[in-house]
Amino acid sequence: LTTPTLLFTDTCMYEHDPGPHHPERPDRLRRILTDLRERTIPGTVTRKAPWATYQQLLRAHPTGYVEALSRFRGRRAQLDPDTAMSPGSYDAALAAAGAALHAVAEVMSGRARNAFALIRPPGHHAESHRAMGFCLFNNAVVAIEHARQALGVERVLHIDWDVHHGNGTQHAFYDRPDVCVVDLHRYPFYPGTGALHEVGHGPGEGFNVNIPLPAGLGDPDYALALRELIYPIAESFQPQLVTVSAGFDAHAQDHLADMEVSEDGFAELCGLARAVAETFAGGRLVLLLEGGYHLRALTQSVRDCVEVLTGSTPPESRGPSPRGLEAFREAAAMARRYWRHIG
Ligand SMILES: [Zn+2]
């Protein structure tokens, strides 16, 4: 019996309802889970994780912030123009952070081959002290801090391929050399951060790598960055764990941003992340769901990534676009100052 790909989720996350016509709606997760239940992927096991505890959240957020959100349990609240809580949101946020954290724990223990936390609300825009951009707790930061502080992991490589820049994750690790954050995103675009020159600070200088992209890029452009930039960074960094903020809003059918990635493209990215993890981190790879708002595109992209996690051969795209090549060359020129393996 081979070690399974674990899928962590909890249907209590359906109870997070930011309001009518909000793109980050309960049907996102409902569709994904219905699809995975109706056509089970061999090699996967679906689990409900314990919710994140107060102590686990406090590694990523100050007490005052956790307490402030907890006071909205059972109530509605508008936290910023895009970010709202319904009566079930606080528990959903605990479940999302818990699923992310336990996905990491099971992968580190060797009980999972790799894992995908199928969660909402998403997390990568959440700052330590502030909800933002549909996000309440920063699930990635909670999970990575658990790896660092509770599991003894010394170096984590975090990849963020959501179409938006993961400002909260960048800021959490900005002055630290133990977590290398590499973020591909449309730029300039929401949330405004993610410029090439944001490289980290102090001992963290060079460990924050932004890959700003113009609109309209597709599968081979994204794959190029994973293959030619993130892989050589991992070769120098030697991570013990690879985590991914896996958003699917760069999909061609997703209307939140004008990117042209296909479900095959996401499967290819997942395959490249798997290759990085297998080559440098003993295969330890955890995907965390972030954005992705076109239901069919999201469901199929998640499914294709899960199949790659279980060992399917990912597709291979060819021929990056001129604009993709230009964006890659600029990011590579900046990263080469800090990472010697970049060609
Ligand atoms: Zn996004």
Side-chain angles (χ1 to χ4, degrees):
L1 219 66
T2 53
T3 316
T5 291
L6 291 184
L7 308 176
F8 282 93
T9 193
D10 190 328
T11 52
C12 83
M13 292 184 261
Y14 297 163
E15 304 305 318
H16 167 56
D17 180 8
H21 314 299
H22 198 289
E24 206 291 276
R25 54 212 189 276
D27 274 351
R28 295 178 63 237
L29 186 60
R30 201 176 275 125
R31 283 279 290 267
I32 291 169
L33 297 185
T34 301
D35 176 69
L36 292 171
R37 195 177 53 237
E38 287 177 353
R39 292 184 297 145
T40 308
I41 298 174
T44 62
V45 173
T46 303
R47 290 259 181 87
K48 192 161 131 177
W51 294 356
T53 66
Y54 206 71
Q55 288 308 316
Q56 291 164 346
L57 294 170
L58 291 186
R59 298 194 190 112
H61 298 279
T63 314
Y65 178 71
V66 178
E67 282 177 354
L69 284 197
S70 75
R71 283 195 283 273
F72 295 123
R73 177 183 245 152
R75 295 163 54 190
R76 285 207 74 85
Q78 191 73 36
L79 303 177
D80 89 349
D82 306 315
T83 315
M85 291 175 75
S86 60
S89 293
Y90 186 74
D91 290 349
L94 295 182
L101 179 152
H102 286 279
V104 161
E106 290 303 288
V107 165
M108 288 313 302
S109 76
R111 287 186 293 268
R113 171 181 183 171
N114 46 41
F116 199 155
L118 301 165
I119 52 182
R120 61 181 292 277
H124 74 155
H125 295 306
E127 298 282 353
S128 67
H129 59 286
R130 188 157 58 96
M132 187 179 155
F134 314 167
C135 302
L136 301 177
F137 295 125
N138 194 312
N139 305 315
V141 177
V142 172
I144 292 167
E145 290 290 19
H146 185 73
R148 288 284 298 115
Q149 296 181 40
L151 304 177
V153 179
E154 290 170 351
R155 287 176 310 282
V156 181
L157 173 64
H158 181 71
I159 302 167
D160 186 325
W161 74 50
D162 186 279
V163 80
H164 304 97
H165 178 242
N167 56 288
T169 315
Q170 166 171 307
H171 292 147
F173 303 116
Y174 204 62
D175 58 2
R176 286 168 47 175
D178 55 330
V179 182
C180 180
V181 176
V182 186
D183 197 311
L184 298 120
H185 48 274
R186 183 173 168 193
Y187 184 86
F189 201 55
Y190 183 87
T193 48
L196 196 57
H197 63 80
E198 296 166 16
V199 294
H201 175 258
E205 188 180 344
F207 293 89
N208 190 84
V209 180
N210 280 318
I211 309 176
L213 304 171
L217 299 194
D219 300 352
D221 305 308
Y222 272 76
L224 176 69
L226 266 284
R227 210 172 42 237
E228 306 289 337
L229 202 47
I230 299 181
Y231 190 96
I233 285 172
E235 189 173 357
S236 300
F237 184 62
Q238 295 286 318
Q240 294 152 321
L241 168 68
V242 178
T243 54
V244 179
S245 272
F248 298 92
D249 40 8
H251 195 284
Q253 284 168 11
D254 199 297
H255 296 307
L256 252 73
D258 298 301
M259 286 297 184
E260 300 294 333
V261 179
S262 70
E263 40 266 50
D264 275 359
F266 285 115
E268 184 176 12
L269 296 186
C270 186
L272 290 164
R274 191 187 77 188
V276 167
E278 283 173 350
T279 308
F280 304 110
R284 292 181 290 272
L285 172 65
V286 175
L287 268 59
L288 311 172
L289 182 63
E290 297 282 357
Y293 305 98
H294 185 281
L295 295 183
R296 195 206 56 76
L298 170 67
T299 303
Q300 190 61 45
S301 300
V302 167
R303 179 177 195 82
D304 290 354
C305 284
V306 173
E307 284 183 345
V308 169
L309 290 177
T310 63
S312 298
T313 306
E316 244 180 273
S317 62
R318 292 204 195 283
S321 67
R323 276 149 43 90
L325 266 178
E326 191 188 330
F328 165 76
R329 287 195 182 118
E330 283 175 16
M334 179 62 88
R336 214 172 275 125
R337 298 185 193 179
Y338 303 101
W339 302 99
R340 65 193 169 93
H341 285 111
I342 296 172

